[in-house]
Amino acid sequence: MYFDESKGMHYDPKNANRHEINGVLRGFFGYDWRELQKGPQWAPDESQAVTMPCRAGQFLIFPTTLMHASTPHAGKTKGMRLAVAARYVPTSVELYGNMKETNIVYELGGSFSLAQYGAVLAAGRNEHTHNRIRTHTTRGKEFVNAYPR
């Protein structure tokens, strides 16, 4: 791994998509991932990059450790892209443990409340009590577990 995520990053909204690399504007919502690089001169070998074009309705699934990026939207419309990040972990993992007292997460230059947050049991049993488990959506629809509890 070429990044040290324990370093933290400096948030500067003026830097969003303003860093040019090889003629392409890069950036991530005011963050510069180079601040996390273990070696300041390291750069990925972009000749090894693989393009994965997707048509409307298609999607990719990949692990979070995969270095990834996207080019500007090439469609004829100015439609948006949607990204969904899902994390699947064993119930033994404590989620947001150090933030339960404040119930607020500060991240990516903003914040969000954990008041309505809860993990959803995708399969198996939860034999731990350290995470809030949601059994219904915020609109009251029950999550159906594929396996009995």
Side-chain angles (χ1 to χ4, degrees), residues 94-148:
E94 186 173 0
L95 306 170
Y96 294 116
N98 61 345
M99 298 171 196
K100 286 181 180 172
E101 292 176 17
T102 62
N103 228 18
I104 302 288
V105 174
Y106 296 96
E107 184 174 88
L108 298 176
S111 64
F112 62 91
S113 170
L114 293 175
Q116 295 295 317
Y117 175 83
V120 175
L121 187 62
R125 299 176 203 273
N126 178 23
E127 297 177 6
H128 303 276
T129 60
H130 49 245
N131 294 317
R132 269 183 267 170
I133 302 295
R134 295 290 305 250
T135 58
H136 292 74
T137 67
T138 55
R139 294 186 175 187
K141 183 170 170 81
E142 184 177 13
F143 293 117
V144 179
N145 186 336
Y147 302 93

Side-chain angles (χ1 to χ4, degrees), residues 15-66:
N15 275 337
N17 298 318
R18 299 229 194 291
H19 181 71
E20 187 174 320
I21 300 175
N22 299 327
V24 178
L25 288 176
R26 309 278 177 106
F28 181 73
F29 300 106
Y31 288 93
D32 185 348
W33 289 97
R34 291 171 302 150
E35 292 181 36
L36 300 180
Q37 284 181 205
K38 289 182 179 177
Q41 301 307 315
W42 177 83
D45 179 0
E46 293 194 27
S47 71
Q48 298 295 310
V50 176
T51 302
M52 301 293 297
C54 290
R55 294 187 305 267
Q58 291 183 315
F59 62 92
L60 300 172
I61 297 175
F62 52 85
T64 57
T65 56
L66 176 74

